[in-house]
Amino acid sequence: MRVAILVSLCLLSSTMNTYPQTSAELSEIWEKEHVSSILPSNVRHKDLKVYLEGLKKAGIKVTEVGRSVSNREIYQTEFGKGPLKVFLWSQMHGDEPTATSGVIDLLTVLQKNREKDWVRNIENKLTIRFVPMLNPDGADAYTRRNMQGLDINRDALNLKSPEARLLKQLREEWSPEIGFNLHNQNALTTAGNAYKQAAISFLVVYGDAEKTSTPGQERNKRLASAMIHAIQAYIPGQIGRYDDGYTPTAFGDSFSSWGTPVILIETGALNGQSEMFLVKMNFVAIATALKALADGSEKNVIPVVYDQLPRNTSGRLFYFIFRNASLIDRLKPDETLITDIGANTERRRAEFTAPTVVRQLGDLSAFAGLQEYDASNFYAVGRNESLAAGKFAEILFFKKDRQIDWSAAELEKAFPPDAVFSLGKWVKGEGVVPKK
């Protein structure tokens, strides 16, 4: 019994020591040395070119490798001179930008810290190629698809888009041993059955529907476990496992079937945190993976951390829920509906005001809101139109002890509301409707 306990302790100690003990250091390095100065959702192709010019001046190899449908340049960066080939690409969906900034920061840090042992080891053991912003047209338009209206990530077989043809060509010409496919997922994706946003999700991508495991996939499970370990202290309970359904037309699945096993990283959102926080999480996670690959420590990582990740779920969260409001339709003022109001904010660039839209009315007790309000003592009235699913969440709140003539021509002027919710925030009476 004593021997078994000793062996278990030794294994635990060995496993703990294989994880890079530098998560806090990596976080601190990013804070001091990151060059991403624009919120990722605001970054256009012209901003990427400025970042890449900075990398070139620092000594990173930057090459134009192709053009988009609208003739925008597509670039590839390269760092290192080692035998193990690592290939990363980001923003094949134009409105999924977080990792682009994270990897730009990572390459900057690697180049500026080449005298450090951990960086020197990465440089000597790995060759890293990165295609940032594969879909520059979509990035400038802030849309998922390219200018042909195609989803590049469903074009791996038909190759109708120049961006897809380029991505396949870059893989075929180089035959990397590992790929990182970098995306953003819906901000309301949850990690498992909890009502917590999945701030980041991982997936070790198989190359067939049967999920045939290869040494490359097993290595990727260990790498994913190392990355999870590195960031879980920052986002506990908010790391998920992406859906692993096989999609042969998707590039991650195809890369894996073609001989480059892929790790998918999907960045979500974190209520109350800036986009830059998740840039840092990408930086820490990917730096950890590269370090583990270079020093060989990934071989000793136990993949159970990845295997036990809660699966991504959806449809459980709203941005806002107003509980038990007495809903008034001014066209039928004698009818009062006591209901919950669930509303979501649309995805937009941070520099733009995003509309907030009513998505559901009714009993929302099975759902949670990132922000919830107790509206049980208030009438709720649409500011410009009747509140219904699909309508803007422009809401006037009136205390129920007031006498209101709902037929008044200029209701808001004639009977000033106690609180007004507009464009996803309180523009009057913040705190009047109590937060739950």
Side-chain angles (χ1 to χ4, degrees):
M1 181 67 175
R2 187 176 299 171
V3 173
I5 293 173
L6 182 61
V7 169
S8 297
L9 289 173
C10 288
L11 283 172
L12 178 61
S13 175
S14 173
T15 299
M16 290 176 66
N17 289 333
T18 63
Y19 289 113
Q21 301 297 307
T22 56
S23 295
E25 294 173 12
L26 288 171
S27 176
E28 184 178 356
I29 290 171
W30 182 87
E31 292 286 356
K32 291 179 178 179
E33 300 186 22
H34 75 271
V35 294
S36 55
S37 57
I38 306 171
L39 292 176
S41 64
N42 291 337
V43 172
R44 272 80 165 179
H45 186 245
K46 64 180 177 61
D47 304 309
L48 174 68
K49 291 166 79 170
V50 173
Y51 286 156
L52 294 177
E53 188 60 32
L55 291 181
K56 286 175 70 174
K57 289 179 179 178
I60 294 277
K61 182 180 179 182
V62 179
T63 308
E64 181 186 327
V65 290
R67 294 279 175 135
S68 68
V69 173
S70 296
N71 204 38
R72 289 185 174 90
E73 302 92 339
I74 300 173
Y75 297 96
Q76 180 173 263
T77 66
E78 184 172 316
F79 176 86
K81 54 191 176 183
L84 184 62
K85 300 175 183 177
V86 181
F87 185 64
L88 307 94
W89 72 97
S90 70
Q91 259 180 293
M92 61 192 316
H93 294 145
D95 60 350
E96 300 181 8
T98 307
T100 299
S101 295
V103 181
I104 292 291
D105 288 340
L106 177 55
L107 291 171
T108 302
V109 166
L110 292 176
Q111 185 67 13
K112 289 184 176 180
N113 292 275
R114 294 170 65 201
E115 78 287 352
K116 294 185 178 178
D117 288 342
W118 69 276
V119 176
R120 187 181 302 115
N121 200 34
I122 288 173
E123 183 176 11
N124 291 332
K125 297 292 181 62
L126 310 180
T127 299
I128 303 161
R129 289 184 178 179
F130 171 49
V131 177
M133 202 178 282
L134 178 69
N135 181 8
D137 298 341
D140 271 21
Y142 206 62
T143 59
R144 176 183 180 89
R145 297 172 182 267
N146 76 347
M147 285 300 102
Q148 297 165 288
L150 294 175
D151 184 339
I152 299 170
N153 201 30
R154 294 296 181 269
D155 195 27
L157 300 184
N158 289 334
L159 301 175
K160 298 292 187 183
S161 64
E163 299 91 350
R165 292 193 294 272
L166 173 63
L167 186 58
K168 185 176 184 183
Q169 173 190 331
L170 292 172
R171 197 217 73 84
E172 288 182 339
E173 290 177 349
W174 199 47
S175 297
E177 281 91 348
I178 179 171
F180 287 84
N181 186 10
L182 307 174
H183 286 261
N184 283 72
Q185 62 190 1
N186 190 295
L188 296 178
T189 299
T190 44
N193 293 322
Y195 293 106
K196 282 188 171 186
Q197 289 169 290
I200 290 185
S201 297
F202 295 93
L203 180 67
V204 172
V205 183
Y206 290 97
D208 58 21
E210 292 73 32
K211 299 182 175 58
T212 303
S213 188
T214 66
Q217 264 97 28
E218 293 305 311
R219 174 207 58 211
N220 285 359
K221 285 184 181 181
R222 298 191 296 271
L223 285 174
S225 292
M227 289 189 283
I228 294 160
H229 185 274
I231 62 175
Q232 63 185 357
Y234 299 95
I235 45 175
Q238 295 189 272
I239 305 174
R241 181 169 169 180
Y242 199 79
D243 176 69
D244 63 355
Y246 179 63
T247 307
T249 56
F251 266 97
D253 308 66
S254 291
F255 263 51
S256 293
S257 70
W258 296 335
T260 300
V262 165
I263 296 176
L264 171 68
I265 301 178
E266 294 267 357
T267 303
L270 202 55
N271 190 43
Q273 287 281 7
S274 164
E275 291 180 58
M276 299 306 290
F277 178 80
L278 291 176
V279 171
K280 181 170 69 172
M281 291 298 96
N282 274 263
F283 173 93
V284 171
I286 297 170
T288 298
L290 297 180
K291 184 179 183 298
L293 275 171
D295 64 21
S297 62
E298 60 84 9
K299 294 181 175 63
N300 300 316
V301 175
I302 297 174
V304 69
V305 177
Y306 168 77
D307 290 332
Q308 292 183 349
L309 270 184
R311 304 269 178 163
N312 274 9
T313 54
S314 60
R316 300 169 58 82
L317 278 181
F318 290 91
Y319 277 91
F320 306 96
I321 295 181
F322 305 94
R323 299 283 185 188
N324 298 309
S326 293
L327 185 63
I328 298 291
D329 183 344
R330 295 183 64 199
L331 299 177
K332 303 174 184 178
D334 295 331
E335 299 177 13
T336 301
L337 175 66
I338 297 177
T339 184
D340 300 331
I341 304 169
N344 289 337
T345 301
E346 303 294 297
R347 178 186 283 186
R348 294 289 189 275
R349 295 190 191 276
E351 66 191 34
F352 297 144
T353 299
T356 298
V357 177
V358 175
R359 289 300 174 200
Q360 194 166 336
L361 300 174
D363 180 2
L364 302 183
S365 57
F367 302 87
L370 297 177
Q371 296 182 44
E372 293 198 8
Y373 297 91
D374 179 4
S376 58
N377 292 319
F378 293 85
Y379 294 114
V381 185
R383 190 178 196 182
N384 303 308
E385 58 185 342
S386 298
L387 289 179
K391 301 295 185 180
F392 290 120
E394 299 287 312
I395 311 175
L396 308 178
F397 288 90
F398 298 85
K399 291 180 180 178
K400 290 174 73 173
D401 59 4
R402 295 176 59 187
Q403 296 295 316
I404 308 295
D405 179 4
W406 303 115
S407 64
E410 297 184 42
L411 179 66
E412 191 172 350
K413 185 176 180 180
F415 298 90
D418 298 285
V420 180
F421 184 83
S422 175
L423 296 172
K425 61 184 180 182
W426 297 101
V427 296
K428 178 183 178 181
E430 184 172 6
V432 171
V433 181
K435 202 167 186 178
K436 295 194 63 149

